[in-house]
C-alpha cells in the first residue's frame, strides 16, 4: 500500500514539474516576450559596441601621443630649431680628366630645385 502511494505521489510531482516547465517555455515564446528579449539583446549589443568604441578611442589617443612624442610635436614652440643643412651640388667645370669630383657649397641662399614653389 505504501508502495502505491509513493509512486502515485512521485508521478503527480513529476506531472506538476513537467507542466510548469512547459508553461514557462510557452510564455517565453509569446510575441511580447520575444520582442522584449530582442530589445534586451539589442541594448546589450549596444553597450558592448559602446565599450569597444571607447577602447578604440583610448588606443587612438595613446598612439597619437606616442607619435607626437616621436615626431617632437609635443615640444615647446619656442624651442630652438636645428640648423637647416642644404648643400647645393655644382658640377666641376674643370677639363682635367683626373679631377672630376663634385663640389658642394655649404652656404647657399637659394634652392636649386626648380620645382619648388615659393
Amino acid at each position: 500500500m505504501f508502495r502505491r502511494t509513493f509512486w502515485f505521489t512521485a508521478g503527480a510531482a513529476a506531472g506538476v514539474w513537467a507542466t510548469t516547465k512547459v508553461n514557462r517555455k510557452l510564455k517565453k515564446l509569446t510575441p511580447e516576450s520575444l520582442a522584449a528579449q530582442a530589445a534586451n539583446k539589442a541594448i546589450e549589443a549596444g553597450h558592448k559596441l559602446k565599450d569597444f568604441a571607447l577602447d578604440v578611442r583610448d588606443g587612438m589617443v595613446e598612439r597619437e601621443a606616442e607619435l607626437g612624442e616621436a615626431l617632437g610635436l609635443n615640444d615647446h614652440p619656442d624651442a630652438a630649431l636645428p640648423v637647416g643643412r642644404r648643400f647645393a651640388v655644382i658640377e666641376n667645370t674643370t677639363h682635367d680628366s683626373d679631377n672630376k669630383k663634385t663640389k658642394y657649397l655649404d652656404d647657399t641662399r637659394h634652392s636649386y630645385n626648380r620645382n619648388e614653389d615659393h
Side-chain angles (χ1 to χ4, degrees):
M1 175 100 170
F2 288 112
R3 185 181 276 182
R4 286 185 189 172
T5 306
F6 171 76
W7 286 114
F8 176 77
T9 307
V16 169
W17 178 78
T19 305
T20 307
K21 271 294 224 199
V22 168
N23 285 335
R24 284 184 189 165
K25 285 290 183 184
L26 288 176
K27 285 182 183 178
K28 282 186 179 181
L29 295 176
T30 61
E32 296 84 14
S33 177
L34 291 175
Q37 287 176 12
N40 288 339
K41 292 288 184 182
I43 290 171
E44 184 180 330
H47 288 304
K48 287 182 181 181
L49 187 61
K50 181 182 175 185
D51 291 341
F52 175 72
L54 291 175
D55 288 344
V56 169
R57 185 180 300 165
D58 290 342
M60 285 182 359
V61 168
E62 182 180 332
R63 182 63 178 149
E64 187 175 326
E66 289 174 1
L67 289 174
E69 186 178 329
L71 295 174
L73 299 177
N74 298 336
D75 294 341
H76 194 273
D78 293 335
L81 295 175
V83 178
R85 295 180 60 191
R86 278 193 173 174
F87 294 111
V89 178
I90 298 178
E91 293 182 20
N92 191 355
T93 57
T94 60
H95 297 289
D96 187 11
S97 62
D98 296 335
N99 192 9
K100 292 214 175 199
K101 295 181 181 178
T102 305
K103 290 183 183 179
Y104 294 97
L105 298 177
D106 289 333
D107 186 25
T108 58
R109 294 184 182 173
H110 305 289
S111 170
Y112 290 98
N113 184 0
R114 294 183 183 180
N115 295 327
E116 188 174 25
D117 294 329
H118 290 317

